[in-house]
Amino acid sequence: AEHLKGKEMDQDVSQIVEMLLDELNNITDLIQATSNYSATPALVKSTYVNLNETLDDLTGRLDSYIRSMSCKVEKEYSKDVLVNLNIKDFYQSFKHIVKNACEAMPHGGTIQLKTKIDEKNVMVIFNDKGNGVPESLWDKIFEPFMSYGKKNGPGLGLTVSKKIIEEHGGSIKVNSYIGIGTSVIVTLPIIK
């Protein structure tokens, strides 16, 4: 389907290929989320990386999806720091958080991606001005199959993200207010 997308086709065929790709991506996300959630913690194959550089790379990987949702990412980084990440796993968390932010802004908008250094940790902060989540659901936000205001997805994104981030020695926190938006704060230990 990705190969066909690059070919010149009639508009009707092009739309069908685009729909096919969307559904295949949904299936891939579901399988990935389910296997990540149900898998026992494995040894994290991680490497030392520059965080700001890595965030730029991960944002670039999602660029076409972000643009397709009429969204954009504004970056505001503190100085670059070295962190220990399994890029493949961390990308899954990053992708879930960014997709949630895009889906929370159905008419498009801006996702602010910030970093902030706090002693021995760095916070990666994702802010959106989406619909927000009611306070009554805050305690359940990381529970499996919890989904609020989304059309698609199994409701495992934040559950899987939390597991992956905790396996990296970090933590994740969500602040959300109806009509104002959501902040997702991922805290990771700094290597240097």
Side-chain angles (χ1 to χ4, degrees), residues 84-165:
N84 192 15
L85 292 181
N86 176 320
I87 300 294
K88 184 179 173 191
D89 286 349
F90 188 75
Y91 173 65
Q92 291 301 318
S93 296
F94 186 90
K95 181 170 72 170
H96 287 304
I97 295 166
V98 169
K99 280 187 161 192
N100 283 352
C102 288
E103 290 174 9
M105 300 184 290
H107 304 295
T110 300
I111 302 166
Q112 293 178 321
L113 177 59
K114 301 178 179 183
T115 61
K116 185 178 176 185
I117 297 170
D118 180 23
E119 295 178 22
K120 296 180 179 180
N121 297 305
V122 60
M123 290 177 280
V124 181
I125 305 162
F126 303 79
N127 292 319
D128 70 57
K129 296 206 182 320
N131 298 327
V133 176
E135 191 174 344
S136 61
L137 297 177
W138 288 0
D139 291 343
K140 299 177 179 163
I141 211 156
F142 294 108
E143 288 181 9
F145 311 110
M146 168 60 193
S147 183
Y148 178 78
K150 289 173 58 175
K151 296 181 228 168
N152 299 317
L156 287 171
L158 285 177
T159 307
V160 170
S161 296
K162 183 175 190 277
K163 180 180 179 194
I164 290 169
I165 289 162

Side-chain angles (χ1 to χ4, degrees), residues 23-41:
E23 290 307 313
L24 288 169
N25 285 331
N26 287 337
I27 291 167
T28 302
D29 287 347
L30 176 61
I31 291 168
Q32 184 71 46
T34 306
S35 66
N36 281 347
Y37 180 70
S38 61
T40 54

